[in-house]
Amino acid sequence: MVDKYPNFYPVLGDDLDLANWPKDLDLAKTDIFYFDTIHSYDNLTKELNLYSPFFKKDALLLFDDIHMNDEMERVWIEIQDKWETKDLTDPCHWSGWGIAKV
């Protein structure tokens, strides 16, 4: 993946620790953020709070498992007040898949 897509940066380790990202990476230039996280309200909310200062206009936020449980569903409902969202669960993934545009 990294060979074919040199602008793809997987994070190994706790993504709530910005020290795990490459030092020369400017997150403010990121077009797409993909959230496939621990399935809890607390964790996903922490990730969104940490990364939201880097979200530029028209960035896309991709969310896996938005209907996995009540906690993930709660975050999905809350972000609909902040950003334009689209639930793509039916054609994409049984436990929920959504996209938001900043």
Side-chain angles (χ1 to χ4, degrees):
M1 179 87 159
V2 175
D3 291 337
K4 189 170 183 179
Y5 301 99
N7 57 343
F8 175 75
Y9 294 94
V11 176
L12 302 176
D14 185 355
D15 69 338
L16 291 172
D17 182 354
L18 289 176
N20 287 321
W21 286 91
K23 303 295 181 243
D24 59 343
L25 178 65
D26 184 355
L27 285 171
K29 293 181 180 178
T30 302
D31 296 314
I32 299 172
F33 289 83
Y34 183 71
F35 295 92
D36 186 10
T37 186
I38 295 171
H39 299 110
S40 75
Y41 179 86
D42 183 58
N43 201 77
L44 182 51
T45 301
K46 284 179 182 176
E47 289 180 5
L48 289 170
N49 289 336
L50 178 65
Y51 291 107
S52 64
F54 300 108
F55 298 164
K56 65 183 183 179
K57 182 175 175 13
D58 295 328
L60 298 178
L61 313 178
L62 311 179
F63 296 90
D64 192 33
D65 301 322
I66 59 173
H67 302 300
M68 175 67 76
N69 58 38
D70 290 345
E71 293 187 46
M72 297 296 284
E73 183 85 28
R74 180 177 165 199
V75 176
W76 179 246
I77 291 168
E78 288 179 4
I79 68 168
Q80 292 176 24
D81 290 335
K82 293 177 83 170
W83 303 302
E84 178 184 343
T85 61
K86 179 75 174 169
D87 187 333
L88 298 171
T89 297
D90 288 335
C92 291
H93 191 31
W94 67 270
S95 63
W97 204 85
I99 186 169
K101 181 180 172 188
V102 175

